[in-house]
Amino acid sequence: MTARKVLDMKPVVFIVSVLLASGSVLGSTILLVSVGPPVAEWTLVPALVGLMIVIFGPFTLGSLLATWDFRRDDESRRLLRNWAVGIGVFEIAAVATIVFYAVVNGTPAWLPVLFAAACVLLTVVAVAVGPALLRRDLATRQDRPEWTPLSRLDIRRKVMRITVTFGAVFILGSIAALVLITSFGDPSEDIGFALLAVLASSFLASGLASMIVSFPLNSELRETTDHDAALLRRVGKAVLARKPSELDASELPAATHYAHVTSVLLPFQLAFFGQLYAGLMIQQVMQLTTSEDLVPLVLLLGLAAVFIAIAPLLIIRIRRARRWVREHADLTATAPGDVTANRRALTEDRPDDITAETGRTDSVDG
């Protein structure tokens, strides 16, 4: 199998992994509620959050280890330790919420022990499988093609795929709902509820399409620093947090490539979060209309609060990435592998050569 085919399989592997993890959360929830029904319904909320962390915590750790090479230097290893400690703390807290649920609701003792053992096992699997996938990926990589910024036509094509996905799911879902309602239900009572369900499904489907079309951009983002997590962290701070002092001149081209990619990737991420949260919030509104439980209201308010916190941050980062691209337009065509030679050229006392190459007399840092 060629490297290109291996890379093309990554989105499929990721989606399958997410679906398996989501199915595991659903199955664990059913097991928890069936074995120990909640005496107090509010205790179910932290337990559900704990179940999600038990499943997705190891998944996150495995994804990091499969994506970034943390063996580069001390800074990379320290970054991995910080991530591992943070995920470990969350996993311990997650198991504690499940233990709390078991104590309050009289759940058998073997159930929290089972979830704790599953968390440990999944973490061990993530630590073993993640680096193996990274080694396989690096061993099968071909020489990187010459980097070019994504064209407006390519961006429009991605947007069109998202739009078509939303429209197709909404139209086909509406037709199916109308047929079912007119055949088996009461149109005057069920049509509004059915259309809300179709609208939520359309947002979720187009959100998934936004994630899928951004996979190549995530791959480009990793390539900007050659899977170096520490360098990506410095570059990200320079571009998105406006701390360019952490970079030297040899890393400016990589930062400019990073800014190009993130200026396109972040809008798709914003679209993904917006559509995902819209679909989930519509589902919670539907739950509120048919149930008196407080759980849908809590989830609805929580989803709204998280999106209100995330959206402005993404918008600010998009503006900063685009500003960096404008301010460093002369480095767009510079390949990351040439930055050492470019640094030597910048530090030599040859202003005429610099003017000939960049068309300006000031330094790249300016």
Side-chain angles (χ1 to χ4, degrees):
M1 182 178 291
T2 64
R4 181 62 61 187
K5 290 182 179 179
V6 172
L7 290 175
D8 289 342
M9 287 299 295
K10 281 187 175 181
V12 178
V13 173
F14 180 83
I15 293 173
V16 171
S17 301
V18 171
L19 292 177
L20 288 176
S22 302
S24 299
V25 171
L26 178 60
S28 300
T29 303
I30 295 174
L31 176 63
L32 182 68
V33 174
S34 61
V35 173
V39 177
E41 292 186 356
W42 66 268
T43 61
L44 186 59
V45 176
L48 292 179
V49 175
L51 287 177
M52 293 180 62
I53 296 175
V54 164
I55 302 297
F56 282 99
F59 175 79
T60 302
L61 180 60
S63 298
L64 288 170
L65 293 172
T67 302
W68 303 105
D69 187 359
F70 292 100
R71 304 166 299 175
R72 298 292 182 92
D73 49 38
D74 291 338
E75 184 181 0
S76 297
R77 287 187 286 271
R78 184 169 58 252
L79 187 61
L80 174 60
R81 284 196 299 270
N82 293 338
W83 272 103
V85 169
I87 293 174
V89 170
F90 273 103
E91 289 179 351
I92 293 172
V95 173
T97 62
I98 299 173
V99 172
F100 173 77
Y101 177 90
V103 171
V104 172
N105 297 288
T107 302
W110 61 264
L111 192 61
V113 173
L114 175 64
F115 286 125
C119 184
V120 173
L121 178 62
L122 290 174
T123 302
V124 171
V125 171
V127 172
V129 173
L133 291 176
L134 177 64
R135 289 193 297 269
R136 183 171 180 265
D137 183 22
L138 296 178
T140 55
R141 287 172 62 200
Q142 296 174 336
D143 293 336
R144 288 178 298 179
E146 183 179 353
W147 181 85
T148 55
L150 198 66
S151 67
R152 292 184 179 274
L153 178 60
D154 290 331
I155 297 175
R156 285 197 294 268
R157 286 173 178 169
K158 291 179 181 293
V159 174
M160 182 59 65
R161 291 170 189 165
I162 299 171
T163 305
V164 169
T165 299
F166 180 90
V169 173
F170 185 80
I171 293 173
L172 295 177
S174 299
I175 294 174
L178 290 174
V179 171
L180 291 174
I181 290 173
T182 53
S183 301
F184 305 102
D186 185 355
S188 62
E189 296 181 359
D190 299 334
I191 186 64
F193 192 85
L195 289 179
L196 276 178
V198 172
L199 182 61
S201 300
S202 302
F203 276 122
L204 293 175
S206 58
L208 179 61
S210 300
M211 181 178 66
I212 292 174
V213 300
S214 67
F215 271 121
L217 297 172
N218 282 294
S219 179
E220 287 186 24
L221 196 66
R222 294 190 295 270
E223 293 293 341
T224 58
T225 60
D226 193 24
H227 294 260
D228 188 341
L231 177 57
L232 183 82
R233 183 169 177 266
R234 294 196 302 273
V235 165
K237 283 186 176 181
V239 175
L240 303 180
R242 303 186 68 179
K243 296 180 179 179
S245 60
E246 298 195 8
L247 298 179
D248 58 37
S250 65
E251 296 169 338
L252 286 176
T256 303
H257 290 194
Y258 174 91
H260 269 284
V261 176
T262 52
S263 66
V264 179
L265 173 62
L266 290 179
F268 284 108
Q269 289 186 346
L270 179 60
F272 165 70
F273 281 114
Q275 293 169 109
L276 175 66
Y277 278 62
L280 294 176
M281 291 173 71
I282 291 174
Q283 289 181 346
Q284 301 312 312
V285 170
M286 294 170 59
Q287 294 266 349
L288 285 173
T289 60
T290 58
S291 173
E292 296 181 356
D293 294 340
L294 293 178
V295 174
L297 179 60
V298 172
L299 292 177
L300 178 63
L301 295 176
L303 289 169
V306 171
F307 182 74
I308 291 174
I310 290 177
L313 177 62
L314 287 176
I315 292 173
I316 291 173
R317 291 188 168 189
I318 291 170
R319 295 179 62 182
R320 289 179 176 177
R322 291 175 176 174
R323 181 184 305 163
W324 182 282
V325 171
R326 291 193 303 268
E327 294 176 351
H328 299 81
D330 55 314
L331 293 176
T332 297
T334 305
D338 297 331
V339 295
T340 302
N342 293 334
R343 185 180 184 185
R344 287 198 300 267
L346 287 170
T347 55
E348 290 176 357
D349 186 18
R350 293 185 300 170
D352 294 337
D353 293 343
I354 296 176
T355 304
E357 291 182 7
T358 64
R360 44 190 289 189
T361 57
D362 54 338
S363 68
V364 174
D365 290 314

